[in-house]
Amino acid sequence: MKEVKLVISRYDPAEDDRPHYEKYIVPWKYGLTVLDALNYIKENIDSSLSFRQGCRSAICGSCALRVDKRGCLACKTMIAEKTGEIIIDPLNHYKVIRDLVVDLTPFYERMKQIQPYLVRNNTVQMTGKEMFIRPEALAEAKNLRDCILCGSCHSDCNTLDVDNTFCGPAALVKALRFASDPRDENKGRLAQAVELGLYKCPVDQECEFACPKEINIRRGTIERLRYLAVKNELAPLPEHKKLINSVLSTGGIVPVKAKPTTEMFPEYIKKFNGEPQAEVLLFLGCIINRRKQNVAEAIINIFQNNHVAVHLPGKVTCCGSPFMRIGQRDSMRPFVEKNFSIFNEYASRGITDVVTSCSGCNSTFRHDFPKLAREFEIPLNFRIYDVGEYMSEKIVLDVEGLKSTNIRAMYHYPCHIRASGLAENIYINLIQKIPGVELVKVPKSGYCCGGGGGVRAAFPDLADRLAIRRIEIAKESGIDTLITNCPFCVLSFERVLQLKEETGEKMEFRIIDFYEMFSEAYGSFPN
Amino acid sequence: MEIITHDIIVIGAGLAGQMAALETSQSSDTAIISKVHPLRSHSGAAQGGINAPFGNATPDDWEKHAFDTVKGSDYLADQDAVEILCKNITSRIVETDSFGAIFDRMPDGRLAQRPFGGGSFPRTCYAGDATGHEILNTLYEQFIKNNVKVYEEWLLTSLIVEDNACIGAFAINLKNGEAAYFRSKAVIVATGGCGRVFERTTNSHQSTGDGISMAYRAGAQVCDMEFVQFHPTTLVGTNILISEAARGEGGLLLNGDNERFMEKYAPAAKELAPRDIVVRSIQTEVNEGRGIGGGEFVSLDLKGLGRERLLEKLPQIYKLAKDFANVDVAEACIPVQPAQHYTMGGIRTNNRGESSIKGLFACGECACVSVHGANRLGGNSLAETLVFGKIAGAKALEYIRKKGTPGILKEAVGKEENRINHLFRSGDGSIAEIRKELQKVMWEKVGVFRNEKDILGALKTLRTLEESYARAGVKDGSRIFNTEMMQAIELGFMLDNAELIAKGALQRRESRGSHFRTDFPDRDDNNWLVHTIFILKDGKPHPSFEPVRITLFKPEARKY
């Protein structure tokens, strides 16, 4: 008989000082859900195991809990055949009543802050005839009504980890559901959303990954609300205005302090002999181009080692991500036009692979630009890749040339990479090609560096707390090195490590840039 | 024991309970008590829609709706009650719409209506295929707006009755295990059905017939319990509901020979015949070896709708099939089988929601008004909750106007405390095992096809299970969120419901609507155009009969 092991958090406040884990063996069969397994334990092993359950079809939201540290519905979570062991915890950010049962009161109370009901001043006459509303007028609200208020999003929210004044994702979904309903007469909803923390979300999408109803929380809700806030002149926030002024005057969110990479290298870089195995357009993004020249050099070096010829156009501009993230979608046109016309121009010469080194740019090009380009009728004759993705999937990677190194670390999976639909394993597999690197499994991917969504600019303390929290989580697993491949993450971590050092609370911790590590393993080219 | 006083308590926070509480809380001190948070109520699982004669798709009026309902009920519905349902439902939907529910609409802005089983033409208003979820959330939003008092996760254990008047109820706060005496001038029961009595059911784990059993134990009349609706299309194995809307939108039923078998059984309505007929057709195919691969299921084919329409009209079905059966409905058929779905019988009420006990009201699935008779039409359950929830609330308000706060029935307190404490004795046998056996015997012997021998066998097993239950004890000694204790109390309720269903099924020697006796396969209007009534007497259900109120349509043969 096939079996699966469940490690379940048990806690009875009348008996226990704190929760502890207990292990249970459950027979496995195809289609076994976590809820089935819990019921098996309750009926056959230990009748005192406490959990909530209801419809067992993902509509009532009763059975929300965490499986391997991520919020989900027990009834909807199938246990795969090869699962050795799974860890079951109660939802995070709530007081545990017993075992897997939490007190959701704070979640419901937070919801009440946004007036979660239709506000109408006139009363409807009960004539037996409905209001006439065209379906398109309700289309947006209709898309948001799937929320079952299970609390999974709230459990996995990174911001709530460090700031419990934030109203949380579900409340914002509800806010937009009413703000987009033509029948609603509460004109203050957007101002309220801004007040309750709309700009405190680093758009890391943890909530969206947890959501069992697949609600589009990040782009469809948070960024949409931000867009509406900008339209209604409730945003951008003053700090965001500074940020975008920098983009408008210098073409990037970070000022030019040292010589940018694009001025250090020729437009065409091919140091190897013979035919290239690929030819790419490398879009560095402002942070790597202006601040992290060493990362840019590392990427170029990796490509040279692998006989990939690199085009490095100097005239590209900001990817526009800061504008999108804070709600200024209407300012995007020049960025799309300029960058995509350059990409198209290269494509007309046969260079159709655009590779970005910054995951923020990548995610913006992949998700936001195509829609905008359609609106502006700009063709897309090229394909966007992330550098790591390109290394993993588009070229034959030289593995022989990787020299051994001695690193024990955890990989920090950047949210923008995940938002681009790129699996964590792409990067883990790449790292593991370097001999001598020991990667420690993360308790859960998706912890936030605090660097996304404009949080660092508007709420620097919050961003710092997120970064510190992320480092602490790694330390709790006995790890003092993180490898990551997003410049926002790297800058965030470096900043808090420096801050801590300045205040005399030095954290023994090291951040390694993924590309620099790779480049070092190859040695500089030609070697 | 703590004493908590309110003018009116409403038990159950699904649609009927919420509707009643919204009505009463405007002008009385109302509290709603529910063993789950209101949003977890099983009303939220209703998928396909809510019937109302708006006539937006085809000209319609309340009489046509009433006729379809009465015919669907196999003429067992009380027609004056049906008249109230059909005359009021449009106003209730307009009201819900004005509360902010997002119903699907026609291009010109009117409410969209889809075809449903047993309806002469499209009459079912809907919110995608999550209509219950939409209305439940909308009413709960009104709860928040109006600050209605809710005791959530309090399990009701019994009603308090003195001189045939209900003056409160006992409940346990699951969070700390403490019991309280709720004193009130009136009690409205809205606890839903008892689907969990059956092994195969679409119902939530919480649908254990609590209110029906509590009212029965308190001496109220319980009516037509033998009429149990089975739903034709539920996922094999899990019995998760696949809405009738799937067939309303054009889904086909196919047997193992790839034959559209409904053409044989209901040549005109085919897949959109009422549920009882479709269920028996599927079960007949299965029993005669024409299930898929000879198995216990047939196929629901939605491929013809195309992916775009499936995502637009049946997004939940699309996801349920993917998540729970690993089927892409745009590419493959869904394996489906019948399972228990709805409890037509329940606490007998008049057309104002009053039970046979003064001050005790009932509405929704736990009540038997009766608007569904022997078979409920899809789309009429949500309609009933809104219409009769409001009516019961209004009547309760009227009732309490003349009432002072009732006294405390002291002897009941000790008795109830003993009863609960007794559950924690060190008994033998497991609550879960008894429950499983109960569910199995009810499905196998009092299911879709019934006969005297099977039912007698089931009753015999039920007696044994009663004895085992009397010996079994709750092993979990903690008083904090003790779900084993909750399940033990629920099992007691389930045993009552099961007995009433089986006894009703045994004595009704005919076949009508959902109740099919293979030994009496025909409808018998001469002897059985009556409601089955049970009341508790000397610890046993005592039967009587009540004629059906026929005011609009003479019974005739039921063909589709």
Side-chain angles (χ1 to χ4, degrees), chain A residues 143-163:
Chain A
N143 278 333
L144 297 163
R145 68 172 181 207
D146 286 348
C147 174
I148 54 175
L149 297 175
C150 67
S152 297
C153 57
H154 200 87
S155 166
D156 286 16
C157 173
N158 275 306
T159 298
L160 280 165
D161 242 9
V162 295
D163 180 352

Side-chain angles (χ1 to χ4, degrees), chain A residues 202-205 218 363 412-420 448 452 489:
Chain A
V203 301
D204 53 298
Q205 262 169 287
R218 178 201 164 176
S363 159
H412 173 78
Y413 183 38
C415 65
H416 287 312
I417 293 279
R418 186 167 65 173
S420 285
C448 179
C489 301

Side-chain angles (χ1 to χ4, degrees), chain A residues 312-349:
Chain A
L312 197 61
K315 285 181 190 154
V316 289
T317 181
C318 173
C319 69
S321 175
F323 292 84
M324 275 312 283
R325 304 290 81 82
I326 62 178
Q328 288 198 286
R329 190 180 193 273
D330 289 346
S331 311
M332 288 297 283
R333 188 167 187 135
F335 307 109
V336 183
E337 277 178 349
K338 180 143 192 202
N339 287 323
F340 276 23
S341 71
I342 292 170
F343 298 169
N344 278 325
E345 195 248 314
Y346 275 84
S348 69
R349 292 192 271 133

Side-chain angles (χ1 to χ4, degrees), chain A residues 369-382:
Chain A
F369 271 42
K371 250 186 226 155
L372 292 161
R374 264 199 303 279
E375 280 172 34
F376 310 146
E377 296 181 343
I378 299 168
L380 274 90
N381 299 325
F382 48 86

Side-chain angles (χ1 to χ4, degrees), chain B residues 241-263:
Chain B
L241 176 65
I242 298 297
S243 170
E244 190 159 301
R247 282 168 288 133
E249 296 291 340
L252 307 178
L253 289 169
L254 304 172
N255 64 15
D257 302 331
N258 213 30
E259 177 194 9
R260 195 179 166 192
F261 59 86
M262 280 312 299
E263 286 172 341

Side-chain angles (χ1 to χ4, degrees), chain A residues 52 56 130 145 149 177, chain B residues 40 100 102 111 134 153 201:
Chain A
R52 290 189 179 102
R56 54 79 173 86
E130 71 272 36
R145 68 172 181 207
L149 297 175
R177 177 254 173 274
Chain B
R40 317 294 169 212
I102 303 174
L111 293 171
E134 181 63 23
E153 297 187 322
T201 177

